[in-house]
Amino acid sequence: MSRSTILAHIEEQDDGTVTGIWEPYVLRSAFQPIFALGHDKLKVTAYEGLIRPFKDEQSVSPQDFFLAIPAAERLNVETLTRTLHVLNAGRLLHPEKMLFVNFDPSVFHARQIADMTLHEMRVTLNEAGIDPRRVVCEVTEQKSSSQQALAIFVEALRSSGFQVAIDDFGAEASDMERVEALRPNIVKFDARWISRLMETKPGFALLSVMVDEFVSKGITVIFEGIEENWQLEAAEAAGAHMVQGFLLARPEVVPGSFGASASVGATSSAGAAPAAFARHSHPTFGRRKSS
């Protein structure tokens, strides 16, 4: 689908944001902040673009929405969602923050498809006033047609000036071998996986070793799914560079209240940040029981 056709599925709203129309769904962008850890403070350094589908004015889960999309339309729908995120980010987000967008590698089975899609994305970025170097392309867990096709697609991302992230490291299709092959700039650790490891001292030790290995390779590490204070403390103690999760800020549908970054103790652009957390030489493991 050409860029002009994609734009035909986009409507501009009175508030300056854009929504997508993919009958019978209305698609809206949401952004979730990603926070950098450092000096006992958290600072918004990036946002992840997430799609929020609606049908008959009722919210539909993104998973159910994508399951309802025929395979032949998947590339076009994903291109539409990324276009929405880019255009809305250009209108609403701080110009210095990074933008994370998702790519399903299974739809890029030929370099020609990747090159065409990325060219159109660069045109949209230029229209939105976003430097491609601010964009992080998350390669999601859907399996590619082959490892070679995946490597070619990632190289196309890199050649276009984008940063590359592997999403959900620790889930079924992600492993150290994949990281070695794709050489990402960023690795996002799977939320459920790191939560299990954080529960015990041996698990936390393994987590710390893996983080150290990535850091030694110049790879930025993000812990996802931070929902409790003890997880935030453990992420900081393990050496994670960035964190993301409901404890810190939930995804917010545009136009929202997006603005400048915030530090811990202040109000972030997507809600109240948690109170400042203390450093612990030995973090507390497991869920804390209320007294």
Side-chain angles (χ1 to χ4, degrees):
M1 183 180 289
S2 67
R3 183 170 183 272
S4 60
T5 306
I6 288 292
L7 293 177
H9 287 265
I10 293 177
E11 292 184 353
E12 184 169 2
Q13 306 302 305
D14 292 339
D15 57 19
T17 63
V18 292
T19 59
I21 306 298
W22 197 271
E23 295 292 351
Y25 300 96
V26 175
L27 306 176
R28 297 189 173 97
S29 290
F31 294 108
Q32 184 176 25
I34 300 173
F35 293 79
L37 282 163
H39 306 293
D40 296 334
K41 290 185 178 181
L42 294 168
K43 182 178 180 180
V44 175
T45 191
Y47 292 89
E48 180 176 0
L50 301 164
I51 203 66
R52 291 295 179 260
F54 294 82
K55 183 179 179 181
D56 299 327
E57 300 185 356
Q58 299 296 313
S59 176
V60 177
S61 78
Q63 182 179 11
D64 289 344
F65 167 67
F66 281 112
L67 286 174
I69 301 299
E73 298 177 4
R74 183 67 183 252
L75 175 61
N76 295 332
V77 171
E78 290 225 340
T79 300
L80 173 60
T81 62
R82 284 189 296 270
T83 301
L84 294 175
H85 298 330
V86 168
L87 293 176
N88 284 319
R91 287 165 168 79
L92 298 172
L93 300 187
H94 192 286
E96 295 180 359
K97 306 308 177 188
M98 293 187 294
L99 174 64
F100 283 64
V101 291
N102 292 298
F103 282 81
D104 175 0
S106 68
V107 301
F108 296 98
H109 50 79
R111 177 65 185 253
Q112 182 180 4
I113 296 174
D115 287 342
M116 179 184 66
T117 301
L118 297 179
H119 170 73
E120 292 176 352
M121 183 171 168
R122 287 178 65 91
V123 172
T124 304
L125 286 166
N126 182 65
E127 178 184 337
I130 297 176
D131 188 330
R133 292 173 294 183
R134 283 177 50 206
V135 177
V136 180
C137 300
E138 290 192 35
V139 180
T140 60
E141 280 307 289
Q142 284 79 4
K143 292 185 178 180
S144 179
S145 56
S146 70
Q147 283 301 110
Q148 181 181 15
L150 179 60
I152 291 173
F153 171 61
V154 169
E155 183 54 37
L157 291 174
R158 195 173 282 114
S159 298
S160 294
F162 303 123
Q163 297 188 59
V164 177
I166 289 181
D167 195 19
D168 293 333
F169 178 86
E172 182 178 354
S174 280
D175 52 22
M176 292 298 293
E177 184 177 326
R178 192 178 193 214
V179 171
E180 291 288 346
L182 301 182
R183 298 177 292 109
N185 305 95
I186 298 169
V187 170
K188 299 182 77 173
F189 279 32
D190 178 69
R192 289 170 294 182
W193 183 68
I194 62 173
S195 183
R196 290 196 301 269
L197 291 179
M198 283 180 173
E199 294 280 357
T200 65
K201 288 184 177 180
F204 178 80
L206 174 61
L207 196 59
S208 298
V209 168
M210 299 186 75
V211 171
D212 287 344
E213 183 168 350
F214 287 141
V215 171
S216 70
K217 297 177 185 295
I219 297 173
T220 297
V221 175
I222 300 177
F223 280 16
E224 297 183 288
I226 302 297
E227 297 184 353
E228 300 184 35
N229 278 311
W230 69 269
Q231 294 174 324
L232 180 59
E233 293 172 357
E236 195 259 354
H241 299 96
M242 302 180 193
V243 286
Q244 180 179 5
F246 284 179
L247 173 69
L248 310 171
R250 291 177 176 268
E252 187 174 2
V253 176
V254 299
S257 55
F258 297 99
S261 63
S263 298
V264 170
T267 300
S268 80
S269 59
F277 59 96
R279 291 177 181 268
H280 296 281
S281 56
H282 300 286
T284 303
F285 301 94
R287 299 182 181 277
R288 294 176 177 172
K289 297 179 181 178
S290 58
S291 56

